[in-house]
Amino acid sequence: MVYKDQIEIQIEHSKNRYDVEELSKKEWIVIGKKEANKYRMAIVEKLVKFGIAKVIAFGFQINKLWLILNWFLMQYKDKVRIKQIQIDVAVSDQGKPYSVLKVIIERRDQNV
C-alpha cells in the first residue's frame, strides 16, 4: 500500500539557542550519543502514550535521526506518519552556527 501524506516542511534561520533540558521538559526526544534503539523505544512510548512524538537532533546527530525515521517508516508505515519537518540553523554559545532538525511523528491509528 502506498500512502500519500501531506507533510508540512518549515525552513528557518532563527539563530536560536536551544536548551536541551527545556526541550526535554516539553516532551521533545533529543537525539544524542546513545544507540539508536533507545531513541526508537522512546518514540514508540510517546506514540503509544500521546499519539504523537516530537524528536529533535543537532549537528551530526541529524544523520542518526534520518536513520531512525527511515526505520520507523519501513517498520510502521501503516501505523505512523511524519506530520511535520522543521529545518533550522541555530547558534552555539560560542556564536557558531549548527543545523537543527525537528520532526513530529503521529499515529495513523490506535495500535502502534
Side-chain angles (χ1 to χ4, degrees):
M1 176 177 271
V2 175
Y3 290 97
K4 294 185 178 182
D5 294 326
Q6 297 292 322
I7 299 173
E8 179 182 341
I9 299 176
Q10 298 178 2
I11 300 174
E12 299 179 16
H13 190 57
S14 68
K15 298 183 180 180
N16 285 336
R17 287 193 168 91
Y18 288 92
D19 181 359
V20 173
E21 290 180 20
E22 191 65 33
L23 288 167
S24 295
K25 290 177 187 175
K26 293 180 179 179
E27 302 294 331
W28 282 87
I29 298 167
V30 180
I31 303 296
K33 295 180 181 179
K34 296 178 187 173
E35 63 183 56
N37 195 43
K38 295 200 184 282
Y39 300 111
R40 288 184 194 125
M41 296 309 300
I43 292 169
V44 168
E45 287 175 19
K46 297 280 187 193
L47 289 168
V48 168
K49 190 173 182 180
F50 302 113
I52 194 166
K54 301 181 288 185
V55 189
I56 188 168
F58 304 99
F60 64 91
Q61 298 298 344
I62 290 173
N63 290 336
K64 186 183 293 184
L65 177 52
W66 281 125
L67 291 172
I68 292 167
L69 292 174
N70 184 52
W71 180 85
F72 257 93
L73 293 176
M74 297 298 286
Q75 295 292 320
Y76 298 113
K77 67 182 174 205
D78 297 335
K79 298 179 181 178
V80 299
R81 74 180 197 96
I82 295 174
K83 179 179 179 181
Q84 185 180 78
I85 296 174
Q86 299 175 12
I87 301 165
D88 193 6
V89 175
V91 178
S92 70
D93 292 337
Q94 294 82 24
K96 295 181 180 179
Y98 61 91
S99 299
V100 180
L101 179 64
K102 298 182 202 175
V103 179
I104 299 176
I105 306 167
E106 69 179 5
R107 291 190 312 216
R108 291 186 188 277
D109 60 16
Q110 299 301 316
N111 303 312
V112 173

